[in-house]
Amino acid sequence: QIGMEKKLPNILVTGTPGVGKTTFCRLLQETLPEENIDKFEFICLSEEINEKKLYHEWNEEFNVPEFDEDLVCDEMESRMQAGGVILEFHSCAFFPERWFDIIVLLRTNNTQLYDRLAARGYKEKKITENIQCEIMEVTSEEVYESYQKERIMELQSNFPEDMQTSVEAVSSRIKTTISENLVTNKNLPLEMTE
C-alpha cells in the first residue's frame, strides 16, 4: 500500500512531579476518540521503568529508581518510531529530539503543587525538592534547551478548568499536525511514501 499519510505524531507531556501530567494524558487520550483520532497509546514512562526494570539502582532517599537513559531509549525506540504515542515523564533532555512532534510542558503554582505532593504522601524533603525544581524552572529550562520552541506548548495546570482548556488546545494542535503531515506526505516523491 502506498502511504498517503505519515505516522501519527508523538506527544511528550512533561513537568515537575505533581503538575498533573498523568491526569492530563488520561484526559487527552479520552478526548481524542471524540475527535476521531483514536490510535494513540498513552505511556507513563515511570511505570514502564519500574515494570521493565530500566534502572540499575534504587534511590532510597527519595524512594525512586535511578533510571538508565540508554535502557529507556532502547526500550522505547521502536514504539516511538511507530508514532501515535503520548509519553509522560518528568525529564526529557535525554530523549532524541526526533521522537516528538509536540511537547507539552505543564506548570502549576507552588501552593497547588505542595498540596498535590502532600496528598501523595511524599516526605517533606521530596516535596521541597520538587517545589524548588518548579521555582527554579528546572524542567522548563530542560524543555526549551532540548526542543524547538515552535513544538512546545507551555500550559497551566492549577485547576480542573485549566486542564480541560489545555486538553482542548493540545487536541487541536494534534489535528493540525496530522493535517500538515498528510499534506507534506502527498507532496513527497512516490518512492518516499511507500
Side-chain angles (χ1 to χ4, degrees), residues 4-172:
M4 291 300 286
E5 63 180 284
K6 185 181 178 217
K7 68 177 179 72
L8 291 171
N10 290 323
I11 297 96
L12 170 64
V13 179
T14 191
T16 304
V19 296
K21 296 181 299 295
T22 304
T23 301
F24 176 86
C25 289
R26 288 188 177 129
L27 283 171
L28 181 61
Q29 189 180 34
E30 289 170 11
T31 300
L32 292 175
E34 295 170 10
E35 302 285 337
N36 296 317
I37 306 170
D38 60 357
K39 299 176 185 174
F40 282 86
E41 174 188 14
F42 167 44
I43 300 172
C44 179
L45 190 54
S46 58
E47 290 176 6
E48 294 269 325
I49 288 169
N50 285 330
E51 289 170 9
K52 297 184 178 180
K53 304 220 183 309
L54 304 176
Y55 60 90
H56 296 295
E57 295 181 32
W58 192 266
N59 183 320
E60 297 295 335
E61 183 178 13
F62 291 105
N63 195 31
V64 294
E66 293 188 1
F67 66 94
D68 181 294
E69 294 175 359
D70 291 331
L71 288 175
V72 170
C73 288
D74 289 348
E75 177 67 31
M76 297 304 301
E77 181 68 39
S78 63
R79 292 165 84 181
M80 299 309 293
Q81 284 180 358
V85 171
I86 301 168
L87 183 72
E88 177 256 305
F89 200 52
H90 63 272
S91 182
C92 66
F94 68 97
F95 295 132
E97 182 181 3
R98 64 183 158 73
W99 278 5
F100 301 105
D101 303 281
I102 301 168
I103 295 85
V104 177
L105 171 62
L106 292 180
R107 305 294 305 270
T108 193
N109 70 50
N110 297 329
T111 302
Q112 293 286 341
L113 187 57
Y114 182 92
D115 293 345
R116 292 174 187 174
L117 296 175
R120 290 182 180 182
Y122 282 20
K123 293 179 180 175
E124 193 64 34
K125 183 173 182 171
K126 191 171 181 178
I127 292 172
T128 300
E129 179 153 317
N130 282 301
I131 288 176
Q132 286 175 347
C133 285
E134 186 67 6
I135 291 169
M136 301 299 292
E137 299 187 338
V138 172
T139 305
S140 177
E141 188 174 301
E142 185 179 16
V143 166
Y144 283 99
E145 287 178 359
S146 301
Y147 299 98
Q148 296 171 1
K149 188 176 181 180
E150 60 271 8
R151 293 184 185 186
I152 301 168
M153 298 180 74
E154 185 169 336
L155 304 168
Q156 289 299 307
S157 176
N158 294 309
F159 305 104
E161 54 271 17
D162 292 338
M163 192 72 71
Q164 189 57 46
T165 301
S166 294
V167 164
E168 290 168 7
V170 173
S171 179
S172 177

